[in-house]
Amino acid sequence: MKGDGKRLKEELGLSEKSAWERLAPGDKEAVFDFCEGYKSFLSQAKTEREAVRLALDLVREKGFVSLNSLSSSQGLVPGTKFFWEWRQKVLVLGVVGELPLDRGLRLVGAHIDAPRLDLKPTPLYESGGLALFKTHYYGGIKKYQWMALPLALHGVAILRDGTRREIVIGEDPADPVFAISDLLPHLAKEQMKKNMEEAVTGEDLNLVVGNIPYPGEDTKDKVRLNILKLLNERFGLVEEDFIVAELELVPAGPARDLGLDRSMVGGYGQDDRVCAYTALKALLEMERPQHTAVVLWVDKEEIGSTGNTGAQSRLLEQVVVELAARAGLADILTVGRILASSKALSADVTAGLDPTYEGVFDKTNVSLLGRGVVLNKYTGHRGKYDANDASAEFMAELRAIFNNAGVIWQTGELGKVDLGGGGTIAKYLAYFGPEVADCGPPLLSMHAPLEIASKVDIFMSYKAYGAFLRS
């Protein structure tokens, strides 16, 4: 018989067990199997466009049709599976529910952009016998982490004649890779006296791309010219095409198992493609949910959710207008009612406790890798600025949904109150009136070229999104 103290701790306190220890029989194998598909997706979806393209291939196989192809006269039949793609960087996926549309949606929103290096509009130059590309970093990065690292070039270029060229260099084992050089420690005495922010500047992030000169005595910048020639031969590019291209530098190579026990995934872009993927997989299992279930993938979160592909745009409202029109509810009051009656999860990662840097965390309010998906009432920074701050009623509802579905979950904050913070798309979803809370797995090394997630937390994110979409 248990002592009173132990019994009371179990009855009244939060569980301190690892999610691995709380898995149901057979679930460990399911966790590992699920993450094989996730690693494959993460390895292929290095840009927003690539993520959308991969998802469209998956959903079309499952019978999803374009929302634009659905007739207004036919209406929305429960079980209808639809997608809406916007500028190749935004994707809305949905399954029509049994309840009328004006009873609201169940929405899971994630972002598919990630910190990276973009090529500048005129990137190519020659110096010191090398051809180099100038870059402009995107999102919040520690610049020193991107030096002396194998990098791959991904993107799209539009040629003068309108031909579109998809460009990927550095992922195939036979491909070359690129790198930003770093100063050798023998000569770095002055550099190493500087703080980490000043030691490497944005203008120092120059990519080494070539060293062989183009043959000929009368030619200036011969290494640079040789790189232009190679790009023209392979892709048809001329220098002017760089100005209109979207070319991104990302860490080269696939996502990998991490740890001797293979319990974690190490890879680029897990913030926030881990949530995008798990939400997608959860939606693919929907047949006839109670409410219309929707997964939203957006761009530009890492730079403030701006532009016509970010969460601050009116794209969500536009999709609801299209849905309402096909349900015979196309008036502005009904569209507003649909959005205000909806409930949403802002599916985004949070910071897991890093034992090496535990001083920046409140250890009583921090998430741990391997303890399950994280349900956050708020994010923001310092005095909750830029946070959504979910209501007690909605948090209680989510707790019940997760507990009833066997989802192993935890809570936490991004760090100590006055040390910083961060935001998600939650406040932009809340702008339309729905209940919103943040929910996603914890990461180590967030925004680094290689981020670390626990497989069990990834799996519990998938279970959490599925349970919510079915509610």
Side-chain angles (χ1 to χ4, degrees):
M1 186 174 178
K2 294 180 181 177
D4 283 349
K6 189 171 183 179
R7 177 179 57 81
L8 281 174
K9 184 176 181 180
E10 290 182 1
E11 290 177 1
L12 305 180
L14 292 169
S15 174
E16 296 178 356
K17 284 188 175 181
S18 165
W20 293 105
E21 298 175 290
R22 298 170 62 188
L23 288 173
D27 272 1
K28 183 177 179 181
E29 291 74 18
V31 167
F32 278 83
D33 288 345
F34 182 87
C35 287
E36 288 304 304
Y38 169 59
K39 287 188 299 178
S40 176
F41 173 82
L42 194 63
S43 299
Q44 298 176 72
K46 294 285 187 80
T47 70
E48 307 91 324
R49 293 174 185 266
E50 291 169 354
V52 168
R53 188 162 58 243
L54 280 168
L56 285 175
D57 289 343
L58 283 172
V59 300
R60 286 188 175 113
E61 290 177 6
K62 296 291 186 178
F64 283 67
V65 298
S66 171
L67 180 58
N68 296 329
S69 71
L70 296 177
S71 165
S72 299
S73 59
Q74 125 187 34
L76 292 178
V77 179
T80 299
K81 300 176 180 181
F82 64 87
F83 66 83
W84 185 82
E85 176 260 336
W86 180 247
R87 303 193 187 281
Q88 301 173 46
K89 296 181 179 180
V90 172
L91 190 60
V92 180
L93 306 168
V95 181
V96 178
E98 299 282 358
L99 294 174
L101 200 60
D102 59 5
R103 294 285 296 275
L105 312 173
R106 292 295 178 269
L107 171 69
V108 177
H111 68 90
I112 52 173
D113 62 317
R116 61 176 188 260
L117 304 178
D118 292 337
L119 290 194
K120 287 191 175 185
T122 53
L124 184 59
Y125 72 103
E126 180 175 335
S127 183
L130 297 172
L132 301 106
F133 279 150
K134 297 192 74 65
T135 71
H136 192 134
Y137 62 91
Y138 171 99
I141 68 169
K142 290 181 173 179
K143 294 184 280 290
Y144 70 86
Q145 292 179 334
W146 289 76
M147 305 179 79
L149 179 76
L151 298 173
L153 185 67
H154 289 238
V156 60
I158 311 298
L159 307 187
R160 285 173 174 170
D161 63 1
T163 303
R164 176 192 175 90
R165 287 282 186 265
E166 296 286 344
I167 295 174
V168 178
I169 307 173
E171 298 294 353
D172 190 297
D175 278 350
V177 295
F178 308 98
I180 296 164
S181 60
D182 196 5
L183 185 61
L184 65 163
H186 312 67
L187 299 177
K189 181 179 179 181
E190 294 303 314
Q191 181 195 47
M192 294 174 71
K193 290 178 182 178
K194 299 177 181 179
N195 65 43
M196 295 170 79
E197 185 175 1
E198 296 171 343
V200 180
T201 71
E203 297 298 341
D204 292 334
L205 300 177
N206 300 313
L207 196 74
V208 177
V209 297
N211 182 230
I212 297 176
Y214 184 78
E217 295 297 326
D218 58 345
T219 306
K220 188 179 179 182
D221 291 343
K222 292 188 282 187
V223 181
R224 176 180 177 277
L225 181 61
N226 195 47
I227 293 300
L228 281 174
K229 176 177 175 288
L230 292 172
L231 288 169
N232 182 260
E233 290 173 348
R234 181 167 177 180
F235 300 107
L237 290 175
V238 298
E239 193 164 17
E240 189 178 74
D241 296 327
F242 284 114
I243 298 173
V244 300
E246 289 180 12
L247 295 171
E248 306 173 6
L249 287 154
V250 299
R256 302 281 298 274
D257 284 344
L258 193 144
L260 286 174
D261 55 4
R262 299 182 179 270
S263 59
M264 293 165 282
V265 173
Y268 164 72
Q270 299 200 71
D271 176 12
D272 186 35
R273 293 174 192 139
V274 62
C275 295
Y277 178 80
T278 48
L280 165 66
K281 293 293 285 185
L283 187 76
L284 290 178
E285 297 179 355
M286 301 289 115
E287 292 298 332
R288 295 171 70 100
Q290 185 178 10
H291 294 83
T292 295
V294 173
V295 167
L296 168 68
W297 286 5
V298 292
D299 182 25
K300 298 292 191 289
E301 192 272 349
E302 297 295 358
I303 58 170
S305 296
T306 56
N308 61 4
T309 56
Q312 288 199 67
S313 71
R314 299 183 68 177
L315 58 92
L316 176 59
E317 190 177 19
Q318 178 63 34
V319 171
V320 175
V321 168
E322 297 284 352
L323 286 170
R326 286 155 179 78
L329 301 169
D331 65 81
I332 191 167
L333 289 175
T334 303
V335 169
R337 189 176 302 122
I338 293 168
L339 286 164
S341 301
S342 297
K343 295 178 181 179
L345 292 179
S346 171
D348 208 339
V349 299
T350 190
L353 176 66
D354 188 328
T356 305
Y357 306 104
E358 63 182 26
V360 301
F361 299 98
D362 171 5
K363 292 183 72 174
T364 61
N365 285 281
V366 64
S367 54
L368 304 181
L369 261 65
R371 290 285 180 92
V373 66
V374 181
L375 179 58
N376 281 328
K377 189 177 188 298
Y378 51 83
T379 54
H381 57 95
R382 294 182 173 88
K384 295 189 180 179
Y385 283 100
D386 291 323
N388 164 62
D389 209 354
S391 70
E393 291 83 0
F394 188 47
M395 291 293 288
E397 183 179 339
L398 292 171
R399 174 178 63 178
I401 290 169
F402 292 173
N403 286 346
N404 291 336
V407 175
I408 301 172
W409 63 278
Q410 58 180 317
T411 190
E413 291 186 331
L414 195 57
K416 286 185 176 178
V417 175
D418 288 331
L419 289 186
T424 66
I425 66 169
K427 66 177 183 177
Y428 305 117
L429 299 177
Y431 171 80
F432 296 103
E435 296 271 26
V436 186
D438 285 285
C439 183
L443 296 183
L444 298 186
S445 302
M446 191 190 301
H447 284 209
L450 187 142
E451 298 169 317
I452 302 169
S454 174
K455 290 182 178 180
V456 73
D457 300 335
I458 296 168
F459 187 74
M460 287 302 154
S461 299
Y462 151 74
K463 286 192 67 172
Y465 302 147
F468 175 73
L469 290 169
R470 287 189 294 270
S471 67

